[in-house]
Amino acid sequence: MDDETIEAVGDVLRGGRYVKGPVVEAFEEEFADHCGTEYAVGVNSGTAAILLGLQAAEIGEGDDVFVPAHTYFASVSPVLFLDANPVFVDVRTDTYTIDPNDLEQKITTADNPAAVIPVHIYGQMAEMDRVTEIAKTHNLHVVSDSCQAHFAEQNGQKAGSIADIGAFSFYPSKNMTVAGDGGMLVTDDDELARRARALRNHGRDEAGVHRHLGLNYRMSEVLGAVGKQQLKRVDDWNAGRRRAASVYDDRLADIDEVVAPAENTDNKHVYHLYVVQVPDRSNLREYLDENGIGTGIHYPTPAHEHPAVVERCGETSIEFVEGLCERIISLPMHPRLSEEEVHTVCDHIEEYYT
Ligand SMILES: Cc1ncc(COP(=O)(O)O)c(C=O)c1O
């Protein structure tokens, strides 16, 4: 948070217009521009962006929505909220993004295929050429969960832009934030954008009529002011993350026990997280912790195993994801992580395994 950001927030506070104002509007325009989409709609979380994306696409009761089994709970909860059925799909064993072959397979046995939510997990885009082709064949809406992948690219196109709707989160740990909870929905479709705008504001249309059933998902002007400033710097921060990742890649290639993340050649990964697979994860975590190195697990539970999901969907098994969740560990990653710091982490991992 630099002085310019603090100044911009001060301007909003002094100005006295806190919602439905010009700052969020400008942030939306700049975000859409940066993303390469026609429209962007600011909301109050990434979860809201996914929910309103599905709702704008008229996904509802009885619709089957395909979701990768390896993701955060919020990729799935909006589906359940709309009384639609999540259908869990396996992920690729190298990139952990949705497996298009399994997606095709699951579509053939579904009753009402309606939408797919490819998740750009850890900052790398799912194979959107395959996903969109499959979606076209089966008439599915595509809502990409881009919450972890601000300005990741695939063949030069940005995350969120290769879908009917893209959903972003600005939760403080994300590649860019609004210093609080916030989200953005992007689309090229003017009707979807219009509906999403109405849905975030009590379902109220331009004429002031509550035509849809909507709640309040608006973004505040103060947070919009922070987002506008962060947008100017996110590309540099992503470059910093990529630099740290390449040092990790070089060092970890020499440690047999560690499976480093794979980056598809078409992709520009933005390393929201740097996640490796290891044997005996809990001992390694403890060892790193004793040496002052914090780690995380994203995520310890497969999406289909959360009690709130099982209660609605029953039990399913997705073997690869279940094993993966026991082996993954997120190593330190942020834009200002220095080369020396990455070496220190890798020295300790090396020490542990030797
Ligand atoms: C993959 C994924 N989907 C959805 C979300 C939900 O975003 P938010 O926390 O802003 O509601 C997050 C972030 O927490 C996420 O990482």
Side-chain angles (χ1 to χ4, degrees):
M1 294 296 160
D2 57 4
D3 290 344
E4 212 182 324
T5 306
I6 292 163
E7 198 53 44
V9 167
D11 287 346
V12 175
L13 292 176
R14 283 187 291 268
R17 176 138 191 188
Y18 301 142
V19 287
K20 298 196 272 186
V23 178
V24 169
E25 224 169 85
F27 179 34
E28 289 172 340
E29 267 176 39
E30 289 161 22
F31 195 93
D33 229 39
H34 213 75
C35 204
T37 57
E38 284 292 323
Y39 308 100
V41 180
V43 290
N44 57 9
S45 71
T47 313
I50 298 169
L51 178 73
L52 298 194
L54 292 168
Q55 225 178 330
E58 298 185 287
I59 300 302
E61 194 173 348
D63 286 333
D64 292 323
V65 179
F66 302 89
V67 194
H70 186 56
T71 187
Y72 183 56
F73 181 67
S75 310
V76 181
S77 49
V79 178
L80 293 168
F81 246 87
L82 293 173
D83 286 329
N85 311 315
V87 178
F88 294 97
V89 180
D90 212 340
V91 298
R92 281 178 51 143
T93 56
D94 52 356
T95 57
Y96 320 133
T97 51
I98 194 164
D99 175 358
N101 297 329
D102 195 44
L103 172 63
E104 268 190 311
Q105 175 73 30
K106 298 264 159 71
I107 289 171
T108 59
T109 53
D111 294 330
N112 294 309
V116 55
I117 305 181
V119 180
H120 303 326
I121 193 94
Y122 304 150
Q124 168 158 232
M125 290 175 70
E127 287 164 277
M128 293 310 290
D129 47 353
R130 295 244 3 239
V131 171
T132 45
E133 188 191 304
I134 294 167
K136 218 174 187 176
T137 308
H138 298 277
N139 215 9
L140 305 182
H141 292 281
V142 182
V143 177
S144 81
D145 180 341
S146 308
C147 287
Q148 300 187 355
H150 310 73
F151 312 114
E153 292 178 22
Q154 190 158 91
N155 297 316
Q157 283 180 281
K158 303 267 169 66
S161 70
I162 318 178
D164 298 319
I165 287 157
F168 293 87
S169 164
F170 300 128
Y171 180 76
S173 69
K174 298 294 195 262
N175 291 35
M176 63 175 281
T177 184
V178 291
D181 277 308
M184 191 71 82
L185 181 155
V186 296
T187 182
D188 285 328
D189 184 315
D190 55 353
E191 180 57 22
L192 289 176
R194 204 182 54 73
R195 271 194 229 147
R197 281 214 173 88
L199 287 167
R200 79 170 160 186
N201 185 32
H202 306 286
R204 189 180 151 120
D205 68 12
E206 291 92 342
V209 179
H210 296 267
R211 217 167 281 289
H212 311 282
L213 190 58
L215 298 172
N216 175 357
Y217 302 99
R218 296 185 301 250
M219 176 185 280
S220 96
E221 289 280 283
V222 170
L223 301 194
V226 177
K228 259 169 73 57
Q229 297 299 322
Q230 294 257 310
L231 196 52
K232 296 181 191 167
R233 301 164 72 195
V234 63
D235 291 339
D236 287 343
W237 290 331
N238 282 345
R241 287 172 183 272
R242 287 181 58 78
R243 271 195 301 277
S246 83
V247 180
Y248 270 128
D249 289 347
D250 283 351
R251 283 294 307 274
L252 298 176
D254 297 331
I255 308 175
D256 289 345
E257 289 84 351
V258 178
V259 180
E263 181 170 345
N264 259 354
T265 49
D266 295 343
N267 278 349
K268 187 170 159 197
H269 195 318
V270 294
Y271 293 98
H272 169 56
L273 293 166
Y274 191 91
V275 176
V276 299
Q277 291 184 61
V278 293
D280 60 355
R281 170 178 71 192
S282 48
N283 290 339
L284 173 65
R285 278 198 91 190
E286 211 174 289
Y287 182 80
L288 292 176
D289 188 51
E290 279 162 12
N291 285 283
I293 297 165
T295 57
I297 302 175
H298 303 87
Y299 297 92
T301 308
H304 57 282
E305 287 188 357
H306 296 291
V309 176
V310 175
E311 193 183 307
R312 280 274 302 277
C313 308
E315 299 203 358
T316 343
S317 176
I318 306 219
E319 215 177 301
F320 173 71
V321 173
E322 285 154 23
L324 182 67
C325 288
E326 288 172 10
R327 298 189 295 272
I328 44 177
I329 172 168
S330 309
L331 300 180
M333 171 54 76
H334 62 81
R336 286 180 303 278
L337 192 66
S338 70
E339 205 167 309
E340 288 93 311
E341 286 170 318
V342 177
H343 281 299
T344 304
V345 176
C346 294
D347 287 345
H348 282 98
I349 297 175
E350 207 165 55
E351 245 165 55
Y352 176 78
Y353 282 112
T354 50

